[in-house]
Amino acid sequence: MQFNNLIYTVILIALSSCSNNKQTDGVKTAQVIKPLYETDPVEFDTDDPAIWVNPNDPSKSMVIGTDKDSNGALYAFDLKGHIIPGKIIKNLQRPDNVDIAYGLLLNGKKVDIAVVTERITHKLRIFELPSFSPLDNGGIEMFIGETGDLYRDLMGIAMYKNPKEEVFAMVGRKSGPSGSYIWQYQLEDAGDGKVKATLVRKFGAYSGKKEIESIAVDNELGFIYYSDEQFGVRKYYADPKMGNKEVALFAISGFTSDHEGISIYKTSGKTGYILVSDQQANQFQVFSREVENGKHIHLMNIKTSTNFSDGSDVVSIPLNADFKHGLFVAMSDNKTFQYYRWEDLAGNILDVN
């Protein structure tokens, strides 16, 4: 079975790396995986990270993370977890989630952007990377016309770039109606080198149990995943032209309480793993990226030292000597983000179906 082959390959990588690396932090333990690094603490409350891969030198990549408060901020950290001086955006009004898009065309030039949801102002905030220069004219209002309680309070964000290199933002909120909980906006040049957002569709079933926060996009395969907390993970097409029918629903059992951060580790163009935070259990449940008999198969549970992890992100390319097989970053409730080597996570398989 193809999933077993993938797992076997990753185990070999993990065992080989762990036996050759002399660093004590980050080495696989019997029960709980420890991070290789933990970031410098933020001022208030970490919530969601995103990894920006430097296209010219991956060793100079950054982790971008939100500090969630009414006087919050957006931080950049280096690959050892240190705050990068001059890469902090202060005075954001409860920044919640952040995601990254590469190659948005502005003023005839392709730029990378970090997109942040600012809950209190109901706005998207957009910053160029790696400069952190603002591109949003003070913010772009979302969910205009919505009047329900908390219907405009922004939370989740995930970026999608289609084969035509058009860039979209999938935006969630604290509450909303089933069938249109998530709104999708196309991001484009407003004509002055700043970004404008055009609403292109409303979609997304909601169980009504708690809320929808974490959203993730698989650009290569063209799918959106989001956590309907305390219910399951839902899957849709990212292309609006493919319609609003739900493609799959999984992870509907075995979670302690909340489904939170979703991250996609890619082993090829079509294969890999979907990691979903089982928040109250302090673990990540892992599912196959590919489907078998129409289902994403549960593969393993990975215990980590994160506590009540909300947002997370992962990349599957080598960045430096520390992260030869990729980097997994997850929020922990001690005001930090934790950095894990992929081989350490993959080598601690607690349950394989």
Side-chain angles (χ1 to χ4, degrees):
M1 193 166 114
Q2 59 180 331
F3 302 136
N4 289 336
N5 291 334
L6 284 172
I7 295 168
Y8 179 70
T9 300
V10 175
I11 292 172
L12 289 180
I13 292 173
L15 294 178
S16 173
S17 178
C18 288
S19 64
N20 294 330
N21 195 307
K22 296 181 180 180
Q23 181 139 4
T24 56
D25 288 338
V27 174
K28 179 175 71 69
T29 64
Q31 292 296 325
V32 178
I33 297 293
K34 295 182 179 180
L36 188 63
Y37 300 113
E38 187 171 83
T39 66
D40 298 331
V42 301
E43 187 173 359
F44 300 109
D45 180 21
T46 49
D47 192 79
D48 186 51
I51 304 166
W52 176 71
V53 177
N54 188 315
N56 300 315
D57 184 352
S59 70
K60 295 180 179 178
S61 299
M62 300 186 297
V63 172
I64 315 296
T66 57
D67 184 14
K68 186 173 62 177
D69 187 81
S70 59
N71 185 30
L74 186 68
Y75 285 81
F77 305 89
D78 64 22
L79 292 183
K80 291 189 181 294
H82 298 308
I83 295 172
I84 302 175
K87 304 291 186 185
I88 306 172
I89 305 294
K90 291 280 192 176
N91 301 314
L92 295 179
Q93 297 184 49
R94 201 170 176 83
D96 201 287
N97 278 209
V98 59
D99 201 12
I100 288 166
Y102 296 87
L104 177 67
L105 189 64
L106 292 178
N107 271 344
K109 182 181 72 172
K110 291 183 177 181
V111 301
D112 299 342
I113 57 174
V115 184
V116 185
T117 54
E118 193 174 36
R119 188 186 299 183
I120 292 175
T121 65
H122 318 312
K123 292 179 179 180
L124 280 189
R125 303 304 309 275
I126 303 174
F127 304 94
E128 183 176 358
L129 295 175
S131 70
F132 268 50
S133 300
L135 297 172
D136 55 15
N137 286 314
I140 303 172
E141 288 197 42
M142 299 279 103
F143 299 106
I144 293 174
E146 292 287 82
T147 59
D149 187 31
L150 306 178
Y151 276 25
R152 297 195 65 199
D153 286 20
L154 301 189
M155 290 188 72
I157 180 75
M159 304 304 298
Y160 168 58
K161 187 176 182 181
N162 69 15
K164 295 181 180 180
E165 299 197 333
E166 297 169 324
V167 176
F168 299 86
M170 316 294 179
V171 187
R173 57 264 184 78
K174 185 69 175 177
S175 186
S178 183
S180 60
Y181 199 108
I182 297 170
W183 288 16
Q184 181 172 351
Y185 296 83
Q186 184 172 356
L187 302 187
E188 300 172 283
D189 193 332
D192 57 358
K194 303 297 184 182
V195 179
K196 68 177 182 180
T198 303
L199 179 64
V200 296
R201 75 161 164 168
K202 306 173 184 180
F203 71 98
Y206 170 46
S207 67
K209 287 198 168 185
K210 190 175 181 185
E211 62 194 25
I212 294 168
E213 181 175 10
S214 180
I215 310 170
V217 172
D218 188 329
N219 276 281
E220 290 81 358
L221 297 183
F223 294 116
I224 301 165
Y225 301 88
Y226 64 85
S227 287
D228 188 341
E229 294 183 24
Q230 300 183 0
F231 183 74
V233 175
R234 299 183 186 272
K235 176 182 179 181
Y236 287 79
Y237 288 109
D239 186 345
K241 296 178 182 177
M242 297 295 290
N244 294 339
K245 182 179 179 181
E246 187 170 277
V247 178
L249 171 63
F250 60 100
I252 57 176
S253 63
F255 278 71
T256 302
S257 182
D258 293 352
H259 303 67
E260 289 285 357
I262 302 174
S263 304
I264 304 170
Y265 184 90
K266 300 162 186 176
T267 55
S268 74
K270 295 183 178 181
T271 61
Y273 307 93
I274 301 171
L275 292 82
V276 183
S277 175
D278 186 352
Q279 188 177 44
Q280 284 72 21
N282 297 326
Q283 68 180 7
F284 290 84
Q285 297 205 24
V286 185
F287 300 83
S288 60
R289 181 186 178 205
E290 56 271 46
V291 297
E292 183 168 295
N293 298 322
K295 297 181 180 180
H296 291 276
I297 306 300
H298 178 261
L299 300 174
M300 65 188 86
N301 298 330
I302 300 176
K303 290 280 188 180
T304 63
S305 66
T306 56
N307 197 53
F308 278 73
S309 186
D310 203 339
S312 61
D313 197 14
V314 68
V315 294
S316 55
I317 64 172
L319 298 178
N320 59 14
D322 285 331
F323 303 106
K324 297 177 182 179
H325 303 287
L327 166 64
F328 178 74
V329 180
M331 164 267 176
S332 191
D333 71 353
N334 63 343
K335 302 182 181 181
T336 70
F337 299 100
Q338 297 187 356
Y339 292 9
Y340 294 85
R341 299 184 305 179
W342 173 254
E343 56 266 36
D344 294 333
L345 295 180
N348 194 37
I349 297 176
L350 302 181
D351 176 41
V352 177
N353 292 332

